[in-house]
């Protein structure tokens, strides 16, 4: 409901009357923004590029783009949805009241560069022009602007995320895109976000729990994702994505929703696991892609294991013997493709039409960020270029690919030497197998071939086995 009283000072102003120092203006993909006291990483610009492009594609298809950014930090993602994706409605929320003025400036200030040392005064001026609302179910205020010239609505709040999602559901206030940039393995927002997203809408989820993905906290992964993940698996970073997708798929199935990934993104820094999900109304949920992944520690082979085959989950690398070594099982998690090829192609086309390529921080203007960007480009596992990631995702979207990836160095355990990765991928494709680079690991590839078949292809390229390896003899057994 709307409050008739005059707007009160912002929450940030209530906490401190001291005027903050002038803020440095940063740039991301050509858009200026203030960082303020928020936690911000240049490396995450790629994830914001992808979400902005996905939102823009969604708007072009549906004509609607209403966004709820629940853990917005500085508001950079909200601002990009508004100004670059063309959102008609953006609700920018973060529980930290210190971020309010920064969010308001990033969303509403027409010229950040010109404000300079007056950013605090400008933010207070913008706040004084807001309507103050108290939507049903919320006990705290929401600042509301209707931009007549822009034709858009902006909201800023400092409210608990779960309360907002529940209030949106009860008020039948549904969103095209819900973005939850959460920390750790906090998955309690997933169910309520599925209640608040529109049918055929997008849900962008984040996790930073590398310990659970690596199997080092199985009790926590059970609690947060309903999945038991084994330790010591070479594709633990991929399992982190599959756990996150899996819990959303199951929560959606409970609600009669079909949840499938648009794209999934792993970032080395953090680590950070992100997935953009498409949510549609359907009783036919993808249950065949929700199961277990088995790994053979002897041969390094990864396989899908359906629920009905759990009791007979053994390694088949030595032929089809039922007396094979029992597989190390992880699950239940998502076992299907990490990306939707058609969706990723639409995102790639949108990026090309906008001329977006390279890094999101290529046009960074502030000196401190330029130095950080220079450091990131020189890192071995630094951020990847947008066009490169999209190209890899198109390859990874092949439904024939096995879960997990094979590291080129792992082939060195069986071969005296191994071929260049791209040469091996081309040869596998020539033999009729699906094969692709992996965005999760720079020295790895994914394929539909078994490890036995991969090594046979390598031998066909003139490479030699390690004579002393008993494992190699079993791998080449008919």
């Amino acid at each position: 409901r709307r409050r008739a009283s005059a707007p009160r000072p912002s929450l940030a102003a209530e906490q401190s009357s001291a005027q903050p120092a002038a803020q440095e203006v940063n740039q991301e993909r050509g858009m200026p923004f203030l960082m303020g006291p928020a936690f911000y990483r240049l490396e995450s610009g790629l994830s914001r590029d992808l979400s902005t492009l996905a939102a823009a594609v969604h708007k072009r298809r549906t004509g609607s783009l209403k966004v709820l950014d629940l853990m917005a930090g500085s508001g950079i993602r909200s601002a990009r949805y508004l100004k670059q994706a063309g959102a008609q409605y953006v609700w920018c929320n973060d529980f930290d009241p210190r971020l309010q003025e920064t969010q308001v400036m990033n969303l509403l200030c027409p010229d950040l560069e010109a404000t300079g040392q007056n950013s605090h005064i400008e933010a207070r001026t913008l706040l004084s022009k807001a309507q103050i609302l108290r939507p049903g179910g919320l006990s705290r205020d929401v600042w509301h602007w209707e931009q007549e010239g822009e034709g858009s609505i902006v909201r800023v709040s400092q409210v608990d995320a779960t309360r907002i999602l529940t209030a949106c559901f009860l008020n039948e206030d549904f969103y095209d895109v819900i973005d939850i940039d959460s920390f750790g393995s906090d998955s309690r927002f997933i169910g309520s976000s599925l209640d608040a997203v529109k049918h055929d809408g997008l849900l962008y989820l984040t996790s930073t729990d590398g310990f659970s993905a690596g199997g080092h906290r199985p009790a926590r992964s059970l609690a947060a994702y309903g999945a038991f993940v084994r330790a010591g698996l070479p594709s633990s970073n991929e399992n982190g994505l599959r756990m996150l997708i899996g819990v959303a798929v199951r929560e959606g199935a409970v609600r009669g929703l079909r949840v499938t990934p648009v794209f999934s993104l792993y970032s080395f820094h953090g680590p950070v696991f992100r997935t953009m999900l498409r949510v549609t109304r359907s009783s036919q949920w993808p249950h065949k892609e929700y199961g277990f992944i088995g790994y053979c520690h002897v041969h390094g082979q990864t396989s899908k294991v359906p629920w009905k085959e759990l009791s007979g989950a053994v390694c088949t690398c030595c032929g089809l013997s039922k007396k094979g070594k029992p597989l190390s099982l992880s699950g239940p998690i998502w076992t299907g493709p990490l990306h939707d090829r058609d969706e990723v192609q639409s995102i790639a086309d949108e990026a090309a039409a906008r001329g977006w390529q390279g890094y999101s921080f290529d046009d960074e203007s502030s000196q401190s960020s330029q130095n950080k960007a220079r450091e990131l480009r020189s890192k071995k596992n630094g951020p990847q270029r947008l066009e490169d990631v999209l190209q890899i995702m198109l390859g990874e979207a092949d439904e024939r690919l096995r879960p997990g990836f094979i590291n080129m160095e792992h082939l060195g355990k069986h071969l005296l030497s191994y071929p260049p990765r791209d040469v091996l991928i081309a040869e596998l494709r020539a033999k009729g197998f699906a094969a692709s680079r992996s965005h999760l690991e720079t020295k790895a590839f994914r394929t539909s071939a078994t490890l036995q078949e991969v090594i046979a292809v390598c031998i066909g390229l003139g490479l030699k086995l390690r004579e002393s390896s008993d494992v190699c003899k079993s791998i080449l057994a008919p």
Side-chain angles (χ1 to χ4, degrees):
R1 63 182 184 272
R2 294 191 178 185
R3 300 179 63 194
S5 58
R8 70 181 189 182
S10 68
L11 293 177
E14 289 177 352
Q15 290 194 341
S16 174
S17 60
Q19 182 170 332
Q23 298 189 52
E24 188 176 46
V25 177
N26 300 272
Q27 293 264 349
E28 183 171 285
R29 194 58 73 181
M31 197 187 76
F33 72 99
L34 301 177
M35 194 180 304
F39 177 76
Y40 171 80
R41 273 183 164 154
L42 282 175
E43 301 97 311
S44 297
L46 174 62
S47 69
R48 291 184 285 270
D49 280 348
L50 292 171
S51 63
T52 301
L53 292 166
V57 170
H58 179 86
K59 183 189 176 185
R60 189 174 67 250
R61 290 175 178 172
T62 66
S64 173
L65 186 55
K66 186 179 180 183
V67 179
L68 176 57
D69 187 4
L70 283 166
M71 300 177 186
S74 67
I76 175 60
R77 282 172 295 128
S78 294
R80 294 190 64 179
Y81 284 132
L82 179 68
K83 301 175 182 180
Q84 294 183 323
Q88 298 106 331
Y89 184 115
V90 172
W91 188 341
C92 175
N93 176 78
D94 196 285
F95 194 69
D96 188 346
R98 299 175 303 159
L99 301 174
Q100 186 191 54
E101 291 188 358
T102 302
Q103 292 171 349
V104 169
M105 290 293 290
N106 286 333
L107 285 161
L108 298 170
C109 181
D111 191 347
L112 287 175
E113 296 283 358
T115 57
Q117 297 183 358
N118 298 318
S119 61
H120 173 70
I121 298 173
E122 178 67 19
R124 296 297 301 275
T125 300
L126 290 168
L127 283 163
S128 70
K129 297 178 181 179
Q131 297 175 353
I132 298 183
L133 311 181
R134 186 76 62 84
L138 299 182
S139 60
R140 302 188 73 171
D141 293 336
V142 176
W143 276 256
H144 177 99
W145 294 263
E146 295 184 9
Q147 299 180 288
E148 295 183 2
E150 302 292 334
S152 59
I153 294 174
V154 173
R155 285 186 172 184
V156 172
S157 62
Q158 288 74 48
V159 183
D160 177 77
T162 303
R163 289 180 180 272
I164 290 182
L165 290 168
T166 302
C168 289
F169 172 67
L170 293 174
N171 296 328
E172 298 185 1
D173 181 20
F174 303 111
Y175 289 80
D176 295 285
V177 176
I178 296 181
D179 189 321
I180 308 177
D181 190 20
S182 56
F183 180 79
S185 55
D186 195 346
S187 61
R188 58 197 168 102
F189 311 105
I190 295 177
S192 51
S193 64
L194 288 167
D195 292 331
V197 70
K198 289 181 181 180
H199 294 164
D200 201 33
L202 297 171
L203 178 59
Y204 201 25
L205 299 179
T206 302
S207 168
T208 61
D209 188 0
F211 287 104
S212 292
H216 304 297
R217 296 200 303 177
R220 181 58 194 161
S221 67
L222 273 173
Y225 306 106
F228 189 95
V229 177
R230 298 298 187 110
L233 303 182
S235 304
S236 60
N237 45 5
E238 183 172 315
N239 287 338
L241 291 173
R242 295 187 179 279
M243 283 196 307
L244 186 59
I245 299 169
V247 67
V249 168
R250 184 191 173 280
E251 288 285 344
V254 172
R255 292 164 170 80
L257 300 172
R258 179 181 177 86
V259 179
T260 53
V262 173
F263 67 81
S264 306
L265 179 68
Y266 169 77
S267 301
F268 292 98
H269 66 274
V272 186
F273 309 91
R274 289 189 172 91
T275 182
M276 179 71 81
L277 303 168
R278 177 72 67 184
V279 182
T280 56
R281 184 71 178 172
S282 174
S283 60
Q284 302 300 316
W285 70 289
H287 62 279
K288 293 183 180 180
E289 307 295 352
Y290 182 70
F292 293 80
I293 291 178
Y295 180 72
C296 174
H297 285 278
V298 174
H299 305 114
Q301 182 65 55
T302 303
S303 306
K304 290 184 183 180
V305 181
W307 290 82
K308 293 182 179 180
E309 299 177 13
L310 286 176
S311 61
V314 297
C315 174
T316 58
C317 296
C318 305
L320 299 178
S321 171
K322 295 184 178 180
K323 297 181 180 181
K325 181 179 176 60
L327 297 175
S328 180
L329 297 175
S330 296
I333 57 179
W334 175 255
T335 61
L338 295 176
H339 326 284
D340 182 289
R341 183 176 181 83
D342 291 339
E343 298 266 18
V344 172
Q345 185 62 62
S346 296
I347 292 172
D349 292 342
E350 181 71 20
R354 291 168 177 249
W356 286 13
Q357 58 183 356
Y359 305 102
S360 62
F361 49 75
D362 277 343
D363 49 8
E364 185 59 70
S365 57
S366 68
Q367 188 59 50
S368 60
S369 294
Q370 285 181 3
N371 294 337
K372 176 67 174 176
R374 193 176 301 111
E375 176 187 342
L376 290 175
R377 291 190 189 95
S378 64
K379 279 188 174 181
K380 179 181 179 181
N381 289 328
Q384 297 169 287
R385 296 171 63 87
L386 174 61
E387 64 272 24
D388 293 340
V389 171
L390 287 170
Q391 191 62 39
I392 294 173
M393 286 181 173
L394 287 171
E396 286 184 310
D398 195 320
E399 296 181 352
R400 297 174 296 166
L401 294 175
R402 289 172 171 268
F405 52 76
I406 300 175
N407 197 304
M408 295 300 297
E409 294 178 352
H410 179 75
L411 295 180
K413 296 181 180 180
H414 307 295
L415 301 165
L416 293 176
S417 61
Y418 50 85
R421 179 200 58 199
D422 292 347
V423 171
L424 179 56
I425 289 174
E427 188 65 19
L428 284 166
R429 289 174 177 172
K431 298 293 184 181
F433 298 108
S436 168
R437 295 164 58 192
S438 171
H439 86 274
L440 297 107
E441 183 66 45
T442 55
K443 293 184 178 180
F445 66 97
R446 300 185 60 198
T447 181
S448 60
T450 64
L451 188 62
Q452 175 182 351
E453 291 167 331
V454 170
I455 291 180
V457 169
C458 290
I459 293 174
L461 291 172
L463 302 174
K464 296 182 179 180
L465 288 169
R466 292 185 180 276
E467 295 180 359
S468 60
S469 175
D470 294 333
V471 173
C472 292
K473 295 176 182 178
S474 64
I475 286 177
L476 293 179

